[in-house]
């Protein structure tokens, strides 16, 4: 059911795609909040742009709510570490929303070194009728005050205010690659190449180190942490992936330092595929728990894999994203594309998984029907009400009319970041500096 | 042989990446550099473990233009300084840089200025008959004079020369004898110079008999790593069943080479001129077609993987034996 639904995706509204103001500002992360009402994007320039979905209009009940810019703010600035003579990039690596606990929204954003907690509030009323101050806020001449009035709240144009409530700095020596909020809503973790720290959302001056894989002698270094995430329901469990392609599930109840994993998920390497670049393409670039908490999704360079938490020996499902690149690894190594870190995403019901590829293609795999589709995020395909047409990459042999040949793929157009609405069939695709939002035409209910 | 070329190419590309990472914004990316160092290690193992004459081609050809400054020797693997970024890259420099002067002892001829090798390099296919010995010497010497790079670099036609030296130097010992497996695989950053069995001033004394050894060693086979990244089914970096096919042919090549010997120094010049431009050519299709007709056989002819000219392979053996003779 899932696939037939998503084969009919179309742009959610006119005016797409949203292009970042400065062409150099490549979108570096995309994240829906827990209700899907808000969509946050971070870019290479350190800015965060939040989109909000308009409530469905009564006038046009059939058209779904559209996403409009809600707030834009500068989250991180470039910094210079004078001690190490290092420039710290302002690029936003990850954004994670906190579960909403009051009228305000909160999110965590991080660059390579510093995590910040931002609070987003709305103001749509302002008080008027002060006794001591006039409309501009200047103090009144007391002699002119003859009576007292009670200030009243008058409506005003909606103003969205964003303020940094916490700054979690100096916790990491290496580059932060992921953050994850715990289901307890009080703690979160941040992971860099060699260490994972546990923070309390209210405490910024200390954190607990829960994983440390730094070897005593750095020359013995063989793997690094590439991604990590808390379990969606069990606040004591988290997983982290490594550059060697393995996943480690850790239980914080077992020990203070979770260097020893509870479970190790690793698939033996296929010797027939061994090459100089085997290690690179087996490095996991993203790991995501399913909404159910039963499965994990991992992305390496050529595949996405679904793992069952109960089976460590191998993934239960493997999907080829772009296997035609396997023979091109040397060229991709040369032009650095082999180091691209693609993310992956579950749909709300965990029946479909999605990931990006090159040439502005992105792929969806239906776990139930085992069918897959390749779609393209481009301006041409973004005309409103124009359904996305499935694309095909031909690898020699018979070539159909609209097929793209492997050699004509544009490797500069890569879709690294994608996000799926938590409840509906709405997807957000970041294509370099453009953001596309597509919606299922047939029905937007999750199946 | 192609594996060696491919491995060599990968080594030089990898070193270039490590070098460039030092100036990237945001500091050294540990993950990427680790991956690059793993590739470098694999390629190096492939390169070193196959002791065939092609090895010699890489060596001297290495260097008109090593990155002129010292930090041009980025560590092959995570150098000791990786504890805190940025790693002081100069630390884990390739040990080969020291013994370079020793190599000059190897080659007896008087040094020729850079001008000659430059001309040599740029004259693709043009083979000045006169002064060939000098030119060859100069080319040979250029490996020893890494610091004279600047001029050479500008004239480098093949673009990739700049990065070659490190890779090639890494692959060679001063005496020219193959490292063949003596290199402990686990030490990417420290090519153990000390492990070289040969005396520093060697080459005349020991043609480490690679030409002779080579056919035999190839028979033992499989060493030397698969087509870089080519997943030709059944072939891996460490075992290549299909390689056996090429061995008899290669053996034959060697025989022919030894006949040509140092007399055919003209080949050396043309090798310098044409070979590396071929190695760096990126067109997958072209590379593949070239391979088809090779004596070395059809192996690893994946598009995009092998890019070398026919002449390279043919000329490689005379070159290597010539070096040995030096």
């Amino acid at each position: 059911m899932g696939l037939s639904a998503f084969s009919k995706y179309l742009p959610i509204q006119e005016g797409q795609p949203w292009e970042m103001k400065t062409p150099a500002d490549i979108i570096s992360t995309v994240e829906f909040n827990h209700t899907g009402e808000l969509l946050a994007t971070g870019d290479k320039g350190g800015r965060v742009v939040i989109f909000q979905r308009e409530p469905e209009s009564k006038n046009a009940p059939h058209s779904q709510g559209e996403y409009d810019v809600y707030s834009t703010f500068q989250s991180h600035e470039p910094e210079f570490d004078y001690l190490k003579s290092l420039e710290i990039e302002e690029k936003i690596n990850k954004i994670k929303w906190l579960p909403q606990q009051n009228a305000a929204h909160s999110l965590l954003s991080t660059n390579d070194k510093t995590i910040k907690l931002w609070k987003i509030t709305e103001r749509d009323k302002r008080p008027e009728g002060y006794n001591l101050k006039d409309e501009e806020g200047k103090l009144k001449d007391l002699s002119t005050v003859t009576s007292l009035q009670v200030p009243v709240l008058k409506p005003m144009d909606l103003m969205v205010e964003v303020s940094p409530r916490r700054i979690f700095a100096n916790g990491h020596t290496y580059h932060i690659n992921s953050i994850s909020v715990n289901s307890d809503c009080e703690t979160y973790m941040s992971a860099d190449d060699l260490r994972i720290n546990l923070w309390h959302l209210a405490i910024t001056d200390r954190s607990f180190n829960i994983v440390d894989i730094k070897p005593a002698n750095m020359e013995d270094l063989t793997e690094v942490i590439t991604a990590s995430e808390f379990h969606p329901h069990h606040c004591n469990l988290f997983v982290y992936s490594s550059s060697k392609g393995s996943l480690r599930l850790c239980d914080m109840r077992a020990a203070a330092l979770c260097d020893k994993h509870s479970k190790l998920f690793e698939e033996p390497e296929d010797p027939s595929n061994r090459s100089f670049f085997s290690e690179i393409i087996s490095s996991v670039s993203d790991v995501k728990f399913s909404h159910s908490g039963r499965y994990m999704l991992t992305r390496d360079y050529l595949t996405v894999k679904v793992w069952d938490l109960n089976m460590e020996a191998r993934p239960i499902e493997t999907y080829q994203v772009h296997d035609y690149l396997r023979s091109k690894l040397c060229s991709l190594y040369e032009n650095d594309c082999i180091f691209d870190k693609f993310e992956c995403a579950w749909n709300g019901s965990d029946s479909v998984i999605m990931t990006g590829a090159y040439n502005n293609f992105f792929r969806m795999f239906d776990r139930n029907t085992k069918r897959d589709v390749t779609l393209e995020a481009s301006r041409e395909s973004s005309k409103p009400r124009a359904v996305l047409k499935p694309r095909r990459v031909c690898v020699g042999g018979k070539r159909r009319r609209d097929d793209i040949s492997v050699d004509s793929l544009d490797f500069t157009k890569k879709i690294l970041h994608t996000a799926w609405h938590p409840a509906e069939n709405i997807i957000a695709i970041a294509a370099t500096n453009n953001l596309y939002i597509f919606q299922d035409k047939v029905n937007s209910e999750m199946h | 042989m192609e594996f060696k070329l491919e491995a060599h190419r990968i080594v030089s590309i990898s070193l270039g990446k490590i070098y460039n990472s030092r100036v990237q914004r945001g500091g050294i990316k540990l993950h990427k550099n680790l991956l690059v160092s793993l590739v470098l290690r694999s390629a190096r193992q492939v390169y070193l473990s196959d002791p065939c004459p092609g090895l010699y081609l890489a060596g001297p050809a290495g260097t008109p233009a090593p990155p002129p400054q010292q930090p041009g020797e980025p560590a092959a693997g995570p150098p000791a300084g990786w504890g805190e970024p940025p790693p002081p890259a100069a630390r884990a420099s390739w040990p080969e840089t020291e013994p370079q002067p020793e190599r000059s002892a190897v080659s007896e001829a008087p040094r020729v200025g850079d001008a000659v090798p430059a001309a040599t390099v740029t004259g693709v296919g043009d083979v000045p008959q006169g002064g060939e010995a000098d030119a060859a010497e100069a080319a040979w010497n250029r490996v020893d004079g890494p610091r004279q790079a600047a001029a050479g670099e500008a004239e480098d036609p093949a673009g990739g020369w700049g990065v070659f030296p490190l890779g090639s130097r890494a692959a060679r010992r001063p005496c020219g004898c193959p490292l063949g497996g003596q290199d402990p695989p686990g030490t990417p950053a420290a090519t153990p110079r000390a492990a070289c069995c040969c005396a520093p001033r060697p080459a005349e004394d020991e043609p480490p008999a690679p030409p002779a050894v080579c056919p035999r060693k190839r028979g033992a086979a499989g060493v030397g790593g698969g087509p870089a990244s080519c997943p030709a089914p059944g072939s891996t970096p460490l075992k290549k069943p299909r390689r056996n096919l090429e061995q008899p042919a290669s053996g034959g090549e060697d025989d022919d080479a030894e006949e040509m010997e140092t007399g055919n120094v003209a080949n050396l010049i043309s090798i310098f001129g044409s070979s590396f431009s071929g190695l760096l050519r990126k067109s997958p299709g072209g590379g593949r077609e070239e391979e088809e007709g090779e004596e070395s056989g059809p192996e690893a002819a994946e598009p995009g993987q092998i890019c070398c000219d026919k002449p390279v392979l043919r000329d490689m053996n005379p070159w290597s034996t010539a070096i040995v003779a030096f």
Side-chain angles (χ1 to χ4, degrees):
Chain A
M1 184 57 194
L3 186 74
S4 63
F6 70 60
S7 61
K8 301 266 188 297
Y9 270 90
L10 71 166
I12 198 171
Q13 67 206 61
E14 299 207 32
Q16 278 204 70
W18 286 275
E19 186 166 9
M20 294 291 119
K21 285 284 180 289
T22 318
D25 283 335
I26 298 165
I27 300 173
S28 51
T29 186
V30 185
E31 189 83 5
F32 279 101
N33 76 337
H34 296 277
T35 61
E37 182 208 352
L38 298 175
L39 175 67
T41 63
D43 67 26
K44 218 169 147 214
R47 265 187 306 280
V48 172
V49 180
I50 302 177
F51 298 84
Q52 182 188 42
R53 194 174 186 201
E54 298 304 322
E56 287 180 34
S57 144
K58 293 194 188 79
N59 299 334
H62 296 297
S63 82
Q64 305 293 332
E66 298 183 345
Y67 282 86
D68 291 322
V69 177
Y70 178 64
S71 173
T72 303
F73 61 95
Q74 186 76 31
S75 170
H76 286 72
E77 298 274 3
E79 286 173 50
F80 197 80
D81 180 338
Y82 295 98
L83 193 62
K84 296 173 188 161
S85 288
L86 256 193
E87 189 180 6
I88 300 169
E89 274 192 281
E90 67 277 28
K91 173 169 75 95
I92 308 295
N93 292 336
K94 281 282 157 32
I95 290 176
K96 285 284 146 81
W97 290 93
L98 266 53
Q100 192 177 8
Q101 287 170 336
N102 49 42
H105 293 98
S106 301
L107 60 80
L108 289 170
S109 66
T110 185
N111 68 349
D112 282 339
K113 296 285 185 184
T114 305
I115 306 137
K116 295 187 184 179
L117 174 66
W118 294 90
K119 193 160 176 192
I120 302 130
T121 48
E122 288 183 5
R123 190 194 292 267
D124 61 356
K125 298 181 190 50
R126 71 158 182 261
E128 282 179 18
Y130 281 106
N131 291 293
L132 299 176
K133 289 188 287 182
D134 64 16
E135 293 305 312
E136 284 97 47
K138 289 206 311 245
L139 284 175
K140 281 186 192 171
D141 181 0
L142 283 179
S143 59
T144 63
V145 178
T146 53
S147 61
L148 285 179
Q149 57 182 345
V150 177
V152 292
L153 290 174
K154 293 265 175 70
M156 58 179 263
D157 290 337
L158 179 66
M159 197 160 66
V160 179
E161 297 172 334
V162 181
S163 62
R165 301 308 281 246
R166 306 269 191 275
I167 297 185
F168 304 90
N170 303 319
H172 289 278
T173 305
Y174 300 94
H175 296 317
I176 297 174
N177 52 55
S178 41
I179 50 175
S180 177
V181 182
N182 203 347
S183 52
D184 65 7
C185 301
E186 285 186 0
T187 57
Y188 76 96
M189 70 167 164
S190 56
D192 67 27
D193 293 315
L194 297 178
R195 300 191 177 101
I196 301 181
N197 291 339
L198 183 70
W199 303 81
H200 192 284
L201 284 164
I203 299 170
T204 60
D205 62 353
R206 77 192 85 134
S207 69
F208 290 98
N209 176 243
I210 53 178
V211 173
D212 188 340
I213 64 168
K214 182 177 175 184
N217 183 1
M218 278 299 275
E219 288 193 9
D220 299 333
L221 182 72
T222 54
E223 67 182 321
V224 297
I225 298 169
T226 53
S228 66
E229 198 182 43
F230 268 117
H231 191 280
H233 310 312
H234 303 301
C235 57
N236 56 300
L237 289 180
F238 65 92
V239 68
Y240 70 90
S241 60
S242 84
S243 55
K244 276 191 173 170
S246 63
L247 298 173
R248 285 176 174 78
L249 186 73
C250 300
D251 188 335
M252 293 196 290
R253 296 172 303 189
L257 192 58
C258 299
D259 282 358
K260 211 154 160 287
H261 51 263
S262 293
K263 294 197 180 184
L264 172 64
F265 300 83
E266 210 169 24
E267 185 176 26
E269 193 189 348
D270 179 4
S272 66
N273 277 337
R274 187 89 180 86
S275 75
F276 286 125
F277 308 104
S278 299
E279 279 130 342
I280 302 187
I281 63 171
S282 65
S283 174
V284 173
S285 52
D286 193 19
V287 63
K288 293 262 169 50
F289 276 104
S290 64
H291 292 87
S292 63
R294 165 90 189 258
Y295 303 103
M296 296 180 295
L297 181 65
T298 59
R299 174 71 154 99
D300 52 58
Y301 192 63
L302 297 177
T303 69
V304 281
K305 295 177 179 167
V306 178
W307 301 78
D308 186 325
L309 253 63
N310 300 319
M311 186 162 82
E312 301 171 56
R314 64 186 164 280
I316 57 169
E317 293 156 32
T318 300
Y319 300 94
Q320 301 295 332
V321 180
H322 39 205
D323 200 57
Y324 45 78
L325 297 183
R326 198 178 285 274
S327 57
K328 307 227 176 276
L329 294 179
C330 193
S331 314
L332 294 165
Y333 178 71
E334 257 183 281
N335 64 16
D336 271 1
C337 283
I338 206 174
F339 300 104
D340 288 335
K341 297 191 183 169
F342 291 95
E343 292 173 6
C344 52
W346 296 91
N347 73 341
S349 60
D350 299 336
S351 60
V352 182
I353 54 188
M354 170 170 70
T355 189
Y358 292 106
N359 209 74
N360 278 353
F361 288 167
F362 59 99
R363 305 262 282 138
M364 290 183 181
F365 303 91
D366 187 323
R367 297 179 60 217
N368 301 324
T369 65
K370 300 301 180 207
R371 285 169 56 199
D372 62 85
V373 71
T374 303
L375 300 171
E376 181 179 2
S378 70
R379 287 181 187 275
E380 290 72 41
S381 64
S382 283
K383 303 192 177 24
R385 287 185 293 285
V387 171
L388 291 180
K389 196 178 62 177
R391 308 306 307 266
R392 216 175 85 104
V393 177
C394 74
V395 287
K398 264 198 331 185
R399 193 195 150 146
R400 291 187 222 153
R401 191 159 45 103
D402 287 327
D403 284 4
I404 313 268
S405 80
V406 181
D407 295 316
S408 50
L409 290 175
D410 187 345
F411 289 96
T412 62
K413 293 188 182 160
K414 49 192 91 171
I415 292 183
L416 303 175
H417 311 287
T418 61
W420 206 310
H421 190 288
E424 298 184 30
N425 274 345
I426 299 174
I427 55 179
I429 310 285
T432 318
N433 61 337
N434 291 315
L435 178 72
Y436 295 85
I437 302 184
F438 298 115
Q439 181 178 30
D440 184 349
K441 170 193 176 188
V442 173
N443 68 68
S444 61
E445 298 302 312
M446 197 65 64
H447 286 267
Chain B
M1 186 74 73
E2 304 85 66
F3 311 126
K4 187 168 296 301
L5 288 176
E6 191 62 18
H8 185 185
R9 181 162 163 254
I10 289 176
V11 164
S12 51
I13 291 170
S14 304
L15 291 172
K17 287 191 194 296
I18 293 179
Y19 179 65
N20 287 332
S21 75
R22 296 173 59 253
V23 299
Q24 265 169 12
R25 213 175 151 236
I28 307 237
K29 309 257 183 293
L30 185 63
H31 183 199
K32 180 176 176 186
N33 280 270
L34 176 68
L35 295 177
V36 170
S37 70
L38 293 174
V39 169
L40 186 61
R41 194 194 309 182
S42 309
R44 212 170 125 264
Q45 276 177 341
V46 164
Y47 191 76
L48 301 176
S49 56
D50 188 15
C52 81
L55 190 58
Y56 297 95
L57 171 65
T63 1
Q69 55 281 32
Q70 175 65 29
E73 293 109 70
W82 276 47
E84 301 300 325
R91 266 213 263 158
S93 56
W94 290 99
E96 276 77 359
T97 51
E98 294 128 24
Q100 285 315 311
E102 295 172 13
R103 244 198 253 169
S104 63
V106 169
S107 55
E108 50 230 337
R111 287 178 173 267
V112 180
D114 277 357
V116 178
T120 301
V121 169
T122 49
V124 176
D126 290 338
V127 178
Q129 292 300 319
E132 332 167 309
D134 286 346
E137 285 300 338
W140 181 229
N141 290 341
R142 295 188 70 188
V143 189
D144 312 329
R147 305 302 177 266
Q148 304 156 23
E153 196 156 63
E155 281 126 13
D156 175 17
W161 279 73
V163 284
F164 268 44
L166 300 174
S168 49
R169 252 187 268 144
R172 308 267 341 263
R173 297 181 188 265
C175 58
C177 79
L179 291 165
Q182 286 170 355
D183 228 10
T187 56
T191 311
R193 234 355 339 182
C196 172
C197 54
C198 313
R201 161 70 194 154
E204 291 113 315
D205 307 333
E206 55 175 56
V213 164
C214 205
R216 174 171 62 79
K217 278 203 176 178
R218 277 191 182 171
V223 191
S229 90
C230 282
S235 74
T236 71
L238 292 181
K239 71 171 155 63
K240 301 184 310 267
R242 280 199 272 160
R243 224 169 129 80
N244 290 321
L245 292 177
E246 70 164 336
Q247 279 146 18
S250 306
E253 242 178 10
D254 289 337
D255 294 337
D256 294 337
E258 294 191 357
E259 287 168 6
M260 294 202 253
E261 291 241 6
T262 51
N264 200 351
V265 182
N267 281 337
L268 306 177
I269 314 303
S270 60
I271 289 169
F272 273 103
S274 63
S275 63
F276 285 94
S277 57
L279 279 175
L280 294 169
R281 185 160 47 88
K282 293 192 179 26
S283 68
R288 181 180 205 146
E289 284 139 29
E290 302 275 315
E291 280 313 290
E292 297 294 309
E294 272 312 325
E295 298 129 335
S296 348
E299 65 193 306
E302 297 285 340
Q305 299 316 309
I306 311 299
C307 350
C308 52
D309 284 321
K310 269 188 187 181
V312 177
L313 299 178
R314 236 183 282 121
D315 292 341
M316 226 189 294
N317 286 317
W319 169 240
S320 60
T321 53
I323 297 299
V324 169
F326 279 22

